[in-house]
Structures are given as structure tokens and as C-alpha cells.
């Protein structure tokens, strides 16, 4: 028999050398994507959007590819707080609102030859009282007053626009605008901003050319109507049922009579005391204006300050 050399025998019996487990293996993005699809049964790349839901969390460190199932899967790309900055999860959303509700309540009541409009003086933001002495009433003419609650900045902007239009009208026509005309102008102004409305809840009170009281109720985009009374703002739901009873005389069997302006003022005071008991955005004081053909009379009535 032929003898086999010891070197050849050793080479035959020797086990092949295994690769170094610590050696770096380069993996392409396409192969990593294919691995993700094969593990998830998906035929296309996952869509990452702000709604979440179908998002697939993937961790890939250049060597190992894994799919996480938790909210924040363990992976090398996460920072210390577990945020991947929208790489593989739904992006973090940041919301901004241009509107701020600063509270407040307004009320207007019309009579046979007068109109009474009132509003509280509290300015709030959330659970904070920013001011206790902010007027929500704005005289547009000597016979017409605008009451506005809502976002303070939008109310101020609306007042500025209306004042400019009033001055242009007075300059062109040599006379102040009549109350029904002011009501129409306010409706037009609000409607022009219907795609980005003023966050203001308005009531308009005054006397018309015949000397009769007039109150106009508005929605946010300028739709309006003439009514016996109107209320707006955070305390509206508390005042409307009361006014239906004592002003409109709905569902009552006793005879309805015309109220004098002084009686209406007392009703307004009681109404704001009532609203202040249940509405945290109504309080501190109520500013009352009595509008007649000969001008505007003002009165301030203190409410509770808590």
C-alpha cells in the first residue's frame, strides 16, 4: 500500500476554519428592505404618517435587522428618551391654534324707545383671570353699541375695522350711519372673513331712525336677525332661558306689558348675578349702557370677584 504523508492526512482531518463572528458585514439598503418585507409579509415599503397604525418599526445597525413590536423598539438609532425623530415611527405633531377664548358674556334687550346692552368686565384664559376691568362694549355711534365676547385680539381687530368704515361713511355722507345700516355693515364685515372668521360673538344694540329699540343677533360669519333680545359668550346658555321668560314672555298666562328701561336694567343685573354663579368666565362687574335717541347712559354694577 501507498503511504500517505502525515501533512496530507492532517489536512484531510482538519475542520475548515469558521469565519470571524466579529468581522463587519456590509449590508445594502435594498437587502435590508427585502428582509423587512419578508418578515412582515408586506409587498411594499411601509408608509410612515402622522396617523400611525400601519407603521412598521425597524431597527437596523448595519449588521443586524430586527422588527420591533413595542412603542419604542430597542435600536441603535434611538436617543436617550426613546424618540426616533420620525425616521421609522409616526412623526411627532405640533399643534397651533390662532384662536384663544377669553370668556365673557354680553346681553342686549330692546324696548319701545330704548335699548339696553350689558357685558361683564372679566378677561380670562383657561383658569386664569388676566384682567378684571376690560370693557366688552364699544359705541359705534351715539345711538349704537357693539357688544363682543370671545378672543380679545379678534375683538380689537374687528372694532378697528368697523371704526375705520364708520369714519369713511361719516366723511362721505356728512352724517353718522343709522343703526340698521350699521347692522348690515357688521354682517358684511364678518362675512368677508368667513374662511378665517373673527373669533368674536357679537350683539348689536341701538335705536333706529324711528326711535325704537333695535337688537341684532349674529353668528360667526355674519348671518344676523333683529330680535327682542340677544346674548352671546360663555354665559349665553344661562341667560337665554331667563330672557325667554321675563322678556319674551313665552309660555306665560299673565299679561305681557312694556317694561321701562329702569326695570330692564334691574333684570340685567339679576341675570348677570345668575350667570356668574355658574360660569367662571363671567364676573367682577357688569357694564350697562342704556341707549336712547338723545344719547347713551352708562352704569357699572359690581359682581363677585371669585
Amino acid at each position: 500500500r501507498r503511504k500517505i504523508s502525515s501533512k496530507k492526512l492532517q489536512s484531510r482531518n482538519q475542520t475548515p476554519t469558521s469565519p470571524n463572528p466579529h468581522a463587519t458585514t456590509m449590508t445594502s439598503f435594498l437587502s435590508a428592505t427585502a428582509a423587512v418585507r419578508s418578515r412582515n409579509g408586506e409587498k411594499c415599503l411601509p408608509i410612515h404618517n402622522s396617523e400611525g397604525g400601519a407603521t412598521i418599526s425597524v431597527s437596523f445597525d448595519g449588521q443586524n435587522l430586527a422588527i420591533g413590536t413595542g412603542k419604542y423598539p430597542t435600536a441603535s438609532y434611538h436617543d436617550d428618551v426613546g424618540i426616533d425623530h420620525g425616521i421609522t415611527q409616526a412623526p411627532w405633531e405640533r399643534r397651533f391654534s390662532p384662536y384663544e377664548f377669553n370668556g365673557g358674556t354680553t346681553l342686549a334687550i330692546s324696548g319701545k324707545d330704548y335699548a339696553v346692552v350689558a357685558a361683564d368686565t372679566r378677561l380670562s384664559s383657561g383658569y386664569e383671570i388676566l384682567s378684571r376691568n376690560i370693557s366688552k362694549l364699544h359705541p359705534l355711534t351715539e345711538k349704537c353699541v357693539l357688544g363682543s365676547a370671545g378672543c380679545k385680539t379678534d375683538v380689537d381687530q374687528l372694532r378697528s375695522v368697523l371704526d375705520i368704515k364708520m369714519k369713511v361713511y361719516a366723511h362721505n355722507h356728512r352724517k353718522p350711519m343709522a343703526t340698521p345700516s350699521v347692522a348690515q355693515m357688521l354682517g358684511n364685515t364678518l362675512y368677508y372673513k368667513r374662511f378665517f372668521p373673527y373669533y368674536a360673538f357679537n350683539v348689536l344694540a341701538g335705536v333706529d331712525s324711528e326711535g325704537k329699540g333695535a337688537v341684532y343677533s349674529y353668528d360667526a360669519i355674519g348671518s344676523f336677525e333683529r330680535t327682542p333680545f340677544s346674548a352671546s359668550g360663555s354665559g349665553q346658555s344661562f341667560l337665554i332661558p331667563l330672557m325667554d321668560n321675563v322678556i319674551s314672555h313665552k309660555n306665560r298666562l299673565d299679561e305681557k306689558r312694556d317694561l321701562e328701561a329702569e326695570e330692564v336694567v334691574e333684570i340685567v343685573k339679576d341675570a348677570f348675578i345668575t350667570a356668574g354663579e355658574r360660569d367662571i368666565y363671567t364676573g367682577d362687574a357688569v357694564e350697562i349702557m342704556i341707549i336712547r335717541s338723545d344719547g347713551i347712559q352708562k352704569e357699572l354694577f359690581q359682581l363677585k370677584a371669585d
Side-chain angles (χ1 to χ4, degrees):
R1 295 181 180 178
R2 189 176 53 170
K3 295 183 179 179
I4 302 175
S5 63
S6 59
K7 289 183 179 181
K8 291 183 179 181
L9 182 61
Q10 183 178 4
S11 63
R12 287 184 180 182
N13 296 332
Q14 186 177 7
T15 305
T17 305
S18 60
N20 185 0
H22 299 289
T24 303
T25 303
M26 299 300 294
T27 305
S28 67
F29 175 77
L30 293 178
S31 61
T33 303
V36 172
R37 292 201 299 267
S38 65
R39 296 189 182 189
N40 288 272
E42 298 289 341
K43 296 183 180 179
C44 59
L45 285 173
I47 300 175
H48 307 297
N49 54 54
S50 60
E51 301 299 329
T55 304
I56 300 174
S57 303
V58 179
S59 60
F60 179 64
D61 58 2
Q63 184 175 1
N64 299 313
L65 183 65
I67 299 171
T69 57
K71 184 176 181 182
Y72 297 114
T74 303
S76 60
Y77 55 77
H78 288 296
D79 55 20
D80 294 336
V81 295
I83 303 174
D84 70 343
H85 306 289
I87 298 175
T88 59
Q89 295 182 1
W92 279 41
E93 292 185 353
R94 295 293 183 269
R95 297 180 181 274
F96 168 75
S97 174
Y99 295 126
E100 170 81 10
F101 182 65
N102 298 121
T105 304
T106 65
L107 174 64
I109 302 171
S110 62
K112 58 181 181 180
D113 59 353
Y114 65 88
V116 175
V117 60
D120 72 306
T121 61
R122 177 175 293 182
L123 183 71
S124 307
S125 178
Y127 292 106
E128 297 181 64
I129 296 177
L130 304 180
S131 177
R132 299 182 185 273
N133 189 28
I134 294 295
S135 176
K136 298 179 178 66
L137 303 182
H138 182 67
L140 295 174
T141 67
E142 294 181 354
K143 299 180 181 180
C144 184
V145 176
L146 173 68
S148 303
C151 181
K152 181 64 166 61
T153 53
D154 277 14
V155 169
D156 289 342
Q157 176 65 20
L158 177 61
R159 289 176 178 179
S160 299
V161 171
L162 293 177
D163 286 341
I164 292 172
K165 291 184 177 182
M166 298 294 294
K167 290 178 181 178
V168 170
Y169 181 92
H171 176 78
N172 291 336
H173 298 274
R174 309 295 184 185
K175 64 178 181 179
M177 192 180 297
T179 298
S181 301
V182 176
Q184 183 65 58
M185 181 195 67
L186 175 58
N188 293 345
T189 303
L190 295 174
Y191 187 72
Y192 289 155
K193 289 278 289 181
R194 62 191 179 278
F195 297 115
F196 191 7
Y198 292 112
Y199 196 43
F201 310 102
N202 303 286
V203 297
L204 187 70
V207 291
D208 57 19
S209 57
E210 299 177 358
K212 297 180 180 179
V215 167
Y216 297 88
S217 179
Y218 290 83
D219 69 0
I221 57 173
S223 178
F224 70 98
E225 62 176 338
R226 186 168 177 172
T227 59
F229 68 89
S230 180
S232 68
S234 57
Q236 179 188 37
S237 59
F238 303 110
L239 298 184
I240 293 292
L242 180 60
M243 296 300 110
D244 282 336
N245 181 29
V246 299
I247 300 300
S248 296
H249 228 67
K250 292 182 178 179
N251 301 316
R252 293 182 60 165
L253 299 179
D254 54 326
E255 183 181 357
K256 182 180 179 181
R257 63 184 182 86
D258 292 331
L259 300 175
E260 298 296 330
E262 291 73 20
E263 293 179 279
V264 172
V265 169
E266 294 302 317
I267 292 174
V268 168
K269 292 177 181 178
D270 287 338
F272 273 87
I273 292 174
T274 302
E277 291 292 335
R278 291 287 180 175
D279 179 29
I280 63 173
Y281 301 111
T282 301
D284 295 317
V286 55
E287 184 182 15
I288 305 171
M289 293 188 181
I290 306 170
I291 310 166
R292 293 188 174 92
S293 298
D294 56 354
I296 301 173
Q297 178 184 350
K298 299 180 182 180
E299 182 178 346
L300 189 67
F301 178 73
Q302 294 297 324
L303 303 173
K304 67 176 187 177
D306 59 353

